[in-house]
Amino acid sequence: MDRALGRGGSADAVFARMVNSYINNLHQITENSSSNQVDHPENNNKADPFLQNSSSNSQLSQPMISEAWETLRLSLVNFHGVPVGTIAALDTSDEKLNYDQVFVRDFVPSALAFLMSKEHDNIVKNFLEMTLLLQSREKFIDRFRLSAGVMPASFKVKREPGKNRESMDPDFGGCAIGRVAPVDSGFWWIILLRAYTKSTGDNSLADSAECQEGMRLILTLCLSEGFDTFPTLLCADGCCMIDRRMGLYGYPIEIQALFYMALRCALHLLKEDKEGKKFRERIVRRLNALNFHLRSYFWLDLKQLNDVYRYKTEEYSHTAVNKFNVMPDSLPDWIFDFMPRRGGYFIGNVSPARMDFRWFCLGNCIAILSCLATSKQSNAIMDLIESRWDALIGEMPAKICYPALENHEWRITTGCDPKNTRWSYHNGGSWPVLLWLLTAASIKTGRPHIAKRALDIAETRLLKDNWPEYYDGKHGRYIGKQARKCQTWSVAGYLVARMMLDDPSHLRMVTFDGDKLLRPQHRRSNSW
């Protein structure tokens, strides 16, 4: 077991002993799951009252949802007989590549579905503990050692033919396309830990010494101070859901929004001990700086677009209006037609002499859920979605980004990536997994009709098309040319969206107590 799991040396022997202890604990949990009621909110008065009072909807018996649940259960991955996650895709029609692994970001919608079902809490707990254990491994890419806080992008359970032995093989970016370590995995892990705690009322996992240390390692990595003058995180291309070169280098909105939300979650999870208080103080300072920076410089509506259009350049001193020296001539032609009179959004990136004006769905939805966006900004984002429905939703929700890169810009920005041709994959493709984020944002802003309309569209095709990974075309009309079928997070994203729309109290897992009630009055933004 030691040789299978480690690379040799005393550090790996320690890791192997940790794994053996963890496996014994997993089996103990499994054996006692029928009698152990700690993880169930109906038997724990610490659970969120909104979640405690939620009830299943009759729609859960519908054929499509039944098929989705069957597929999700088939995707479960076991380690020593205990479920620890869900495989990326069940499609066996082609070479598996890394689709036979458990990805941290991919598992999040699966985990939320399990938590909402009130039947599979232990799977989520097992996953959180296993990834935390893998974080403790020594991490090398070639001869370079990664920070202790880096969470794995994915892991695979390896089984030796003819031998009754299993080992865990994590990937921290050393096998990834482009060899990029995941920045988002640690953020998703913290967000999921909070969702688990919120749903079950079980604080023992988050309060454990191991979880507290794991959070502190992640926070140490992303709260470190250096040469950067911005509170945002400087990131490479390929470090998040858009895991190929797509011009995200710099300060991508997806990472900044996830960073903001993870910090807010950490405030709820860190203990009030000496170490916890130190990190809480650092988090509050960073949240205030992030809040100001992103709302001020990443936000774009018609008024702000007109201001950028009239920018003066080469400004110096603290009184400069064009603080990043953005050239007005760099404004793309499409933005003038895309920006409606009412509505707005957080643009993709801001850095010296550069503003990426593309729309990114995940970053904007997370901005709403995390309260990074103000109430007015949140409603302006939903106004934009309604105003530009054909472009952003089309015939399959939802566009990962808009618009697509084409021609010479595509060649330069993507490095002629054949998978990211226009309106395909990460270059303007439509991803069903984003349904759950769109639904959550719609409910939070009092616009459930947006989520219902998007789900009605998805339900006409997803099951019939066998749950594709993504769709191609300007309106999401075609199954992606290289999309895997039976993609687990497409299944889970749909389930979470449907359950959340049927019972909006589930939104409590991915939002905050200080937010508005779940069913506010319908309102329009004041951005016009």
Side-chain angles (χ1 to χ4, degrees), residues 174-357:
C175 298
I177 295 173
R179 300 300 186 264
V180 179
V183 177
D184 62 342
S185 292
F187 299 152
W188 279 123
W189 186 88
I190 293 175
I191 292 167
L192 182 57
L193 177 62
R194 195 244 179 190
Y196 169 82
T197 304
K198 193 75 172 173
S199 173
T200 64
D202 176 16
N203 295 315
S204 62
L205 177 61
D207 287 345
S208 67
E210 294 80 10
C211 272
Q212 291 290 311
E213 175 64 14
M215 275 191 289
R216 288 196 296 265
L217 287 173
I218 296 170
L219 294 170
T220 298
L221 179 60
C222 63
L223 292 175
S224 60
E225 298 170 344
F227 287 101
D228 206 331
T229 59
F230 310 143
T232 42
L233 286 180
L234 182 61
C235 302
D237 253 327
C239 66
C240 54
M241 178 181 173
I242 299 178
D243 58 9
R244 288 174 177 236
R245 180 177 164 186
M246 271 290 292
L248 299 186
Y249 59 88
Y251 307 90
I253 186 59
E254 176 173 332
I255 290 296
Q256 313 316 319
L258 285 171
F259 181 30
Y260 188 91
M261 187 167 188
L263 291 181
R264 289 206 62 180
C265 290
L267 277 178
H268 288 258
L269 298 169
L270 287 168
K271 296 174 72 174
E272 290 280 0
D273 54 17
K274 184 177 180 181
E275 285 294 315
K277 287 181 179 179
K278 289 180 181 178
F279 276 94
R280 284 170 174 270
E281 291 173 0
R282 295 176 66 185
I283 288 171
V284 170
R285 288 196 298 268
R286 192 61 169 265
L287 281 173
N288 286 332
L290 265 176
N291 191 297
F292 174 82
H293 186 88
L294 293 169
R295 290 179 181 179
S296 299
Y297 305 128
F298 276 67
W299 180 254
L300 190 73
D301 55 21
L302 188 59
K303 178 185 179 301
Q304 180 65 15
L305 177 59
N306 196 67
D307 290 344
V308 175
Y309 179 71
R310 291 169 51 82
Y311 267 168
K312 295 179 181 179
T313 60
E314 307 301 324
E315 292 183 298
Y316 182 77
S317 85
H318 297 292
T319 60
V321 175
N322 185 2
K323 295 184 178 182
F324 299 96
N325 199 36
V326 173
M327 307 297 165
D329 287 346
S330 68
L331 283 163
D333 291 339
W334 63 266
I335 190 66
F336 296 102
D337 292 329
F338 180 71
M339 182 60 68
R341 286 192 173 275
R342 60 169 177 258
Y345 65 104
F346 290 96
I347 63 175
N349 219 318
V350 176
S351 56
R354 175 174 180 248
M355 297 180 79
D356 182 351
F357 292 95

Side-chain angles (χ1 to χ4, degrees), residues 415-463:
C416 298
D417 186 347
K419 195 168 186 178
N420 269 331
T421 54
R422 63 177 186 171
W423 308 115
S424 180
Y425 200 50
H426 295 315
N427 189 15
S430 298
W431 291 72
V433 66
L434 296 172
L435 270 170
W436 83 264
L437 285 160
L438 178 64
T439 299
S442 300
I443 295 171
K444 186 174 185 294
T445 54
R447 313 278 189 94
H449 64 278
I450 294 178
K452 185 180 186 306
R453 185 180 176 191
L455 273 167
D456 287 346
I457 293 171
E459 287 177 335
T460 64
R461 297 188 58 189
L462 271 179
L463 180 60

Side-chain angles (χ1 to χ4, degrees), residues 484-510:
R484 297 304 171 103
K485 298 290 187 71
C486 225
Q487 186 80 14
T488 304
W489 71 350
S490 295
V491 176
Y494 164 73
L495 280 173
V496 172
R498 174 48 67 190
M499 285 191 286
M500 198 175 284
L501 189 61
D502 290 344
D503 184 355
S505 68
H506 291 310
L507 187 66
R508 287 296 194 189
M509 280 190 274
V510 290

Side-chain angles (χ1 to χ4, degrees), residues 8-284:
S10 59
D12 295 317
V14 171
F15 176 77
R17 289 195 295 272
M18 291 169 64
V19 170
N20 285 327
S21 175
Y22 170 70
I23 292 169
N24 292 334
N25 290 337
L26 282 183
H27 283 297
Q28 186 67 35
I29 291 171
T30 303
E31 291 169 3
N32 296 335
S33 61
S34 60
S35 59
N36 184 2
Q37 302 297 322
V38 173
D39 290 341
H40 294 279
E42 61 270 21
N43 295 296
N44 192 320
N45 57 14
K46 293 182 180 180
D48 187 290
F50 272 90
L51 299 177
Q52 189 174 3
N53 295 329
S54 64
S55 58
S56 59
N57 191 288
S58 60
Q59 291 182 350
L60 294 178
S61 62
Q62 292 178 356
M64 184 172 177
I65 293 181
S66 298
E67 289 276 350
W69 271 114
E70 182 179 351
T71 302
L72 188 60
R73 292 188 181 102
L74 287 173
S75 71
L76 284 170
V77 173
N78 292 323
F79 183 55
H80 290 274
V82 178
V84 292
T86 50
I87 200 171
L90 291 169
D91 188 355
T92 58
S93 61
D94 199 358
E95 183 185 359
K96 290 184 184 299
L97 295 175
N98 57 3
Y99 285 83
D100 61 347
Q101 298 185 26
V102 178
F103 282 82
V104 172
R105 75 176 67 96
D106 291 38
F107 180 70
V108 170
S110 296
L112 294 177
F114 291 141
L115 290 173
M116 290 177 186
S117 73
K118 306 297 183 187
E119 298 174 4
H120 306 288
D121 297 343
N122 281 331
I123 298 174
V124 182
K125 188 174 185 179
N126 295 345
F127 171 85
L128 289 166
E129 291 179 331
M130 175 54 71
T131 46
L132 184 65
L133 190 62
L134 294 173
Q135 183 199 37
S136 67
R137 293 192 68 165
E138 290 188 344
K139 301 175 275 286
F140 287 90
I141 296 181
D142 293 333
R143 298 184 181 183
F144 186 70
R145 182 174 181 172
L146 274 66
S147 167
V150 175
M151 277 284 184
S154 64
F155 61 83
K156 181 178 181 178
V157 177
K158 285 191 172 182
R159 298 175 175 87
E160 298 185 31
K163 298 181 180 180
N164 187 24
R165 183 160 61 182
E166 294 180 344
S167 62
M168 189 64 70
D169 184 19
D171 176 26
F172 296 93
C175 298
I177 295 173
R179 300 300 186 264
V180 179
V183 177
D184 62 342
S185 292
F187 299 152
W188 279 123
W189 186 88
I190 293 175
I191 292 167
L192 182 57
L193 177 62
R194 195 244 179 190
Y196 169 82
T197 304
K198 193 75 172 173
S199 173
T200 64
D202 176 16
N203 295 315
S204 62
L205 177 61
D207 287 345
S208 67
E210 294 80 10
C211 272
Q212 291 290 311
E213 175 64 14
M215 275 191 289
R216 288 196 296 265
L217 287 173
I218 296 170
L219 294 170
T220 298
L221 179 60
C222 63
L223 292 175
S224 60
E225 298 170 344
F227 287 101
D228 206 331
T229 59
F230 310 143
T232 42
L233 286 180
L234 182 61
C235 302
D237 253 327
C239 66
C240 54
M241 178 181 173
I242 299 178
D243 58 9
R244 288 174 177 236
R245 180 177 164 186
M246 271 290 292
L248 299 186
Y249 59 88
Y251 307 90
I253 186 59
E254 176 173 332
I255 290 296
Q256 313 316 319
L258 285 171
F259 181 30
Y260 188 91
M261 187 167 188
L263 291 181
R264 289 206 62 180
C265 290
L267 277 178
H268 288 258
L269 298 169
L270 287 168
K271 296 174 72 174
E272 290 280 0
D273 54 17
K274 184 177 180 181
E275 285 294 315
K277 287 181 179 179
K278 289 180 181 178
F279 276 94
R280 284 170 174 270
E281 291 173 0
R282 295 176 66 185
I283 288 171
V284 170

